Amino acid sequence: MAERSPATRRTLWLVLSLVFAFLYIPIAVLVALSFNEGGLPTAWSGFSLKWYVSLAGNSAILSAALNTLIVALVSTAIATLLGTLLAIGVEMRRHHGKGLEALIFAPMIIPDIVLAIALLSFFSMLNLTMGLHTIILAHVVFNLAFVCSVVRARLKSFDWSIVEASTDLGASAVTTFRRVTLPVILPAVIAGALLAFTLSVDEFIIAFFTAGAGRASTTLPMQIYAMIRFGITPEINALATIVMAVSITALTLSQQLNRGMTGQ
């Protein structure tokens, strides 16, 4: 490959810098203004933590945060279990058609608004009362595909002969999974769970369509949307900063696990 000229490298760096600036300057401004002492969301008047303190005393936000945590933890646990079993079942088949692949990854590809309407119609057909339980079920649907994809990536390099050797030595299927398969895929399972948790915390459209009425099933993204309809305030900036920090932390841990899993 021919070496790029200094002018070409400078141009590439300039384009890269502009792209990163376009992506991250608005986020940096949001974080900075969350520490703004004044009530105006766009004019800096001094450093203060009062908006974070204000969040701690806001019952609506605390209720939404608790609902978000419940939905994220429960849906992540269910999606991780089902996604891991699905990944193992698919990879054990060795030979599977493209139709199965399409069915597995369809929730990742279908637009959120389409999936939300489909789930709403399905729950209405079953006469289910909307609430946290329907949000959890909806989140399991799309999180399952993400967990499955992460675990399958690890299973692609898994040596299935050790499973056969364990079986030949008299180990039961449960013992083989617990002592042979699970230790190998555990980093991928945890990475998939962290990814599912992050997606569940951030998700708005599907939760908006499948939630019930009132505060009992309002999640943090829904609460932010309800607050922002009346204008942006430093309190909203502070809340968005906290949600973003949680998401970045979970994604970073997931990436670290993936790097360790691939030996990079």
Side-chain angles (χ1 to χ4, degrees):
M1 183 177 177
E3 185 177 353
R4 296 187 181 94
S5 66
T8 302
R9 288 198 295 268
R10 285 195 294 270
T11 301
L12 290 174
W13 275 110
L14 176 61
V15 173
L16 182 63
S17 300
L18 290 174
V19 170
F20 277 113
F22 178 77
L23 289 174
Y24 294 111
I25 285 179
I27 297 176
V29 170
L30 180 146
V31 174
L33 289 177
S34 70
F35 299 99
N36 188 15
E37 184 178 8
L40 295 176
T42 56
W44 180 262
S45 59
F47 181 86
S48 175
L49 294 173
K50 70 177 184 179
W51 302 111
Y52 290 90
V53 176
S54 175
L55 289 178
N58 191 317
S59 60
I61 290 176
L62 293 178
S63 175
L66 178 60
N67 289 340
T68 298
L69 189 61
I70 292 172
V71 170
L73 289 175
V74 176
S75 64
T76 295
I78 298 173
T80 301
L81 175 61
L82 297 180
T84 300
L85 294 176
L86 177 61
I88 294 173
V90 171
E91 289 302 316
M92 285 185 67
R93 289 188 59 184
R94 309 288 179 89
H95 303 289
H96 43 268
K98 294 182 178 180
L100 180 60
E101 295 279 350
L103 286 174
I104 293 173
F105 296 112
M108 297 172 62
I109 302 170
I110 296 174
D112 285 351
I113 186 68
V114 175
L115 185 58
I117 294 173
L119 288 167
L120 175 61
S121 300
F122 179 71
F123 293 149
S124 298
M125 184 180 66
L126 295 178
N127 292 322
L128 282 178
T129 302
M130 299 297 176
L132 283 184
H133 57 288
T134 51
I135 300 177
I136 290 171
L137 291 174
H139 281 198
V140 169
V141 170
F142 73 85
N143 276 337
L144 193 151
F146 287 96
V147 174
C148 180
S149 65
V150 174
V151 177
R152 284 187 66 191
R154 178 66 185 91
L155 288 171
K156 292 292 184 183
S157 59
F158 183 70
D159 184 4
W160 291 98
S161 63
I162 61 177
V163 174
E164 297 172 358
S166 175
T167 303
D168 291 340
L169 291 172
S172 65
V174 175
T175 301
T176 299
F177 175 78
R178 183 166 54 88
R179 296 196 173 186
V180 178
T181 308
L182 185 58
V184 175
I185 67 172
L186 186 59
V189 173
I190 297 175
L194 289 171
L195 178 60
F197 180 84
T198 303
L199 293 171
S200 186
V201 168
D202 287 344
E203 203 284 318
F204 167 73
I205 296 177
I206 295 176
F208 182 79
F209 275 78
T210 58
R215 185 184 297 182
S217 58
T218 299
T219 62
L220 264 182
M222 294 169 62
Q223 181 64 30
I224 293 174
Y225 175 74
M227 294 168 65
I228 209 170
R229 292 170 60 191
F230 302 100
I232 300 175
T233 66
E235 191 175 38
I236 294 176
N237 291 337
L239 181 57
T241 300
I242 292 173
V243 173
M244 183 176 60
V246 171
S247 301
I248 291 175
T249 301
L251 282 175
T252 301
L253 291 174
S254 177
Q255 289 296 320
Q256 290 297 325
L257 286 168
N258 274 324
R259 287 196 186 100
M261 180 179 66
T262 55
Q264 297 178 352

